[in-house]
Each structure stands twice: as structure tokens, then as C-alpha cells.
């Protein structure tokens, strides 16, 4: 489809070392750019609440016309997710090398 995609992993703070399970996950779906995917990984649902249940908790896939737009989409969506107790960790350098190579052309 000629679109680019960038995937960012949302992990529990402390992963891959010690991390806590059972922390509440809050998602503001209305802030997600159109076409962005939220894919669960280490999530448990209890009483209609999403809770952490692993180190790699979820993946967000941003979509765009190029890597720059896809990365912006993923990061905008990532900003709409929190884990109780400031328990979310994710890399902010995903796709940066690809963007640098694009800009050098």
C-alpha cells in the first residue's frame, strides 16, 4: 500500500529486569492518530480494566506516508498511554537512523 509503519514497544518500568505486574494501564484512544494500531502483549483484563502482566506490555504501530510521519503517529499515540505509578517505559529513538538516512539523500 506504499505506506510506512513504525512500531514502538511500551514496556513496564524496570524491564528487562525487575518490574511489577498488576499496574493499571490508561489509554486515551481519542488522541490516537487515524490508522494507528494498539496491540496488546503483556496485558491482563480484570473487571474491565487493563493491567500489566509482563515486561513488554503493548505495541503501538504508527502509519504514515513516510517513516517520519509513521514515527510521529506512533509517538503521538504513545503519549496517550500511561501506566499507574509512572510505570511506562519506551524508546524514543525508534526509526531515528532511518529518518537521518532519508534526510541525507
Amino acid at each position: 500500500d506504499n505506506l510506512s509503519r513504525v512500531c514502538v514497544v511500551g514496556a513496564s518500568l524496570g524491564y528487562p529486569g525487575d518490574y511489577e505486574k498488576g499496574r493499571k494501564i490508561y489509554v486515551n484512544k481519542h488522541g490516537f492518530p487515524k490508522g494507528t494500531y494498539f496491540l496488546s502483549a503483556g496485558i491482563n483484563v480484570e473487571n474491565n480494566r487493563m493491567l500489566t502482566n509482563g515486561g513488554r506490555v503493548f505495541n503501538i504501530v504508527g502509519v504514515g506516508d513516510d517513516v517520519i510521519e509513521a514515527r510521529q503517529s506512533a509517538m503521538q499515540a504513545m503519549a496517550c498511554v500511561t501506566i499507574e505509578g509512572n510505570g511506562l517505559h519506551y524508546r524514543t529513538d525508534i526509526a531515528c537512523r532511518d529518518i537521518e538516512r532519508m534526510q541525507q539523500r
Side-chain angles (χ1 to χ4, degrees):
D1 65 4
N2 293 326
L3 294 174
S4 295
R5 289 168 178 79
V6 171
C7 180
V8 181
V9 175
S12 295
L13 187 64
Y15 177 82
D18 292 335
Y19 58 88
E20 292 183 27
K21 295 181 180 180
R23 291 187 178 252
K24 293 177 188 169
I25 303 165
Y26 302 96
V27 180
N28 175 6
K29 295 182 289 188
H30 303 293
F32 275 46
K34 185 178 179 183
T36 304
Y37 300 91
F38 178 94
L39 306 169
S40 65
I43 292 178
N44 200 16
V45 178
E46 294 179 11
N47 299 321
N48 293 323
R49 300 290 310 194
M50 291 191 299
L51 305 172
T52 60
N53 193 40
R56 294 181 183 182
V57 181
F58 60 89
N59 298 287
I60 288 183
V61 180
V63 181
D65 289 332
D66 57 30
V67 175
I68 295 169
E69 285 185 12
R71 183 182 183 284
Q72 288 171 338
S73 176
M75 290 302 173
Q76 181 179 338
M78 188 61 77
C80 296
V81 182
T82 57
I83 294 178
E84 176 182 24
N86 196 27
L88 175 61
H89 175 74
Y90 60 95
R91 290 182 54 173
T92 58
D93 63 342
I94 300 300
C96 288
R97 289 186 185 162
D98 296 322
I99 293 169
E100 287 174 9
R101 282 194 294 265
M102 284 177 55
Q103 292 171 338
Q104 292 172 356
R105 290 183 188 166

